[in-house]
Amino acid sequence: MNLTRENIVVAAGALVALVLQVVVAPNIALFSAQPNFLLAYVLVAAIANPHGEGPVMPFLLGLAYDLLGTGPVGGMALLFVLASFAASRAFAVLDNDTLFMPLTILAVAAFAVEMIYGALLVALGLPAGPLDAFLYRALPCALYDCVVGLVLYPLAARLLAGGAQDRGPRTPRLR
């Protein structure tokens, strides 16, 4: 691994997301919905730098989420890797230099990850029914993740733009 400015920014962001997940997320939970700072960061990093992220950081953050939570170990790690790959490839294809596409990809990916994780929990014997798992856990958590991603994306796009000489300026147009 090359020790570049971009890699240092990504690693520091991952540590900050982990600290936020441990310290802040349980304290701002609404009913059974907690923000998933790790998922939001993985998606934002994959979208802000679609050609630079590999599967290691999403896997490690997903594994940390699994070890901190009560769900099955490895489930969220797999979903983080798949969502990171899908979001980065979707952004590489659909990028039109506006703010709409990265935020749409972020919202769709966060919703898909939370829904699939909810289905996994139901399949493994969650004491609630499928409707309760989706309506009271997956949907609010996905909305929470989208809000966190909306806050993180402009910051990540600005910080990770320094290593992307081949793509030009990464300041999205607001119209």
Side-chain angles (χ1 to χ4, degrees):
M1 177 173 121
N2 296 336
L3 193 60
T4 63
R5 176 190 166 276
E6 183 178 329
N7 289 341
I8 293 171
V9 168
V10 169
L15 287 176
V16 168
L18 185 63
V19 169
L20 288 174
Q21 186 66 37
V22 171
V23 175
V24 176
N27 294 322
I28 60 172
L30 296 175
F31 304 108
S32 63
Q34 271 190 29
N36 190 342
F37 289 104
L38 300 176
L39 173 62
Y41 180 72
V42 163
L43 292 176
V44 163
I47 292 170
N49 190 8
H51 301 293
E53 295 304 314
V56 175
M57 192 253 318
F59 179 77
L60 291 176
L61 289 179
L63 191 60
Y65 182 87
D66 287 335
L67 294 174
L68 292 172
T70 59
V73 175
M76 199 58 97
L78 174 66
L79 290 175
F80 276 19
V81 171
L82 294 176
S84 172
F85 176 76
S88 68
R89 296 303 162 241
F91 183 72
V93 170
L94 300 173
D95 183 22
N96 60 359
D97 285 338
T98 63
L99 196 57
F100 177 73
M101 286 315 296
L103 298 182
T104 302
I105 293 168
L106 175 77
V108 168
F111 184 71
V113 167
E114 291 292 350
M115 291 304 248
I116 293 170
Y117 192 68
L120 178 66
L121 292 178
V122 168
L124 292 176
L126 184 70
L131 184 63
D132 291 337
F134 293 127
L135 193 60
Y136 297 121
R137 194 226 170 260
L139 186 61
C141 288
L143 291 174
Y144 234 153
D145 299 343
C146 289
V147 170
V148 171
L150 291 174
V151 172
L152 287 178
Y153 178 73
L155 182 64
R158 176 62 64 192
L159 289 175
L160 294 176
Q165 293 87 6
D166 60 322
R167 294 184 296 161
R170 292 299 314 144
T171 306
R173 290 191 320 246
L174 297 177
R175 324 186 244 163

